[in-house]
Amino acid sequence: EAARAALRAADGRGEPTALTAAVGRALGIPASALPPAEGALWRPESRAAYRASLLPAVMDRPPVRLADLAPLVPRAAAEKDAVALTTLREAAAHLAATVAALGPRPGEALAVTGGLVAPDGPLLAPFTARLSHLDLTITPVTDGCAGAVALARLLATGRRPAEAP
């Protein structure tokens, strides 16, 4: 989404956003093509050079490598960037919809991990709020390895997690 926001801003289809410069720097776009400081005019030839450099840089990376841009969004949101704030809200909505689609039972435990939903992660509060109607017990953890090992042990003994004592 950070790359999409940068591309939309650069071609005039999207709102100006701090993500344009941040994504450009992260992907090695020449400094001469990056957008100028807020409020300054982005010269048409520089904007064209940015677009000409950014699109191939994005297309050359597999989607999993584009995930490296994810931390740029909360950083921009912390600076009150409207595009980044919207992106975070939409991400929380997508994650919550995925959990809701699984049909969890009220009171069921849900452990979440990863930089965005771990303790103090920027998506944790909006994600939890969107799931409040499901009455889940949501526990953010910094490392999901212990839970994965416990689940593997249960499955190795032929028991399902719901059968655990």
Side-chain angles (χ1 to χ4, degrees), residues 16-115:
T17 173
L19 292 170
T20 309
V23 167
R25 282 190 298 274
L27 296 180
I29 304 304
S32 61
L34 293 176
E38 189 176 327
L41 178 65
W42 196 4
R43 296 185 341 262
E45 60 274 10
S46 294
R47 186 185 288 259
Y50 178 91
R51 288 192 310 264
S53 299
L54 185 65
L55 189 56
V58 169
M59 299 303 287
D60 283 346
R61 285 167 174 75
V64 72
R65 296 304 310 165
L66 289 175
D68 293 342
L69 301 174
L72 301 176
V73 178
R75 282 188 215 134
E79 299 298 320
K80 306 297 184 228
D81 183 88
V83 172
L85 289 165
T86 298
T87 300
L88 286 180
R89 280 193 301 275
E90 290 172 355
H94 287 299
L95 285 172
T98 299
V99 171
L102 296 172
R105 296 179 304 269
E108 193 165 5
L110 175 66
V112 295
T113 191

Side-chain angles (χ1 to χ4, degrees), residues 119-157:
D120 300 320
L123 289 185
L124 183 59
F127 171 69
T128 304
R130 287 193 170 268
L131 291 175
S132 63
H133 69 286
L134 295 178
D135 191 34
L136 300 174
T137 303
I138 299 174
T139 305
V141 296
T142 55
D143 184 353
C145 290
V149 169
L151 182 58
R153 284 183 180 144
L154 281 173
L155 295 173
T157 63

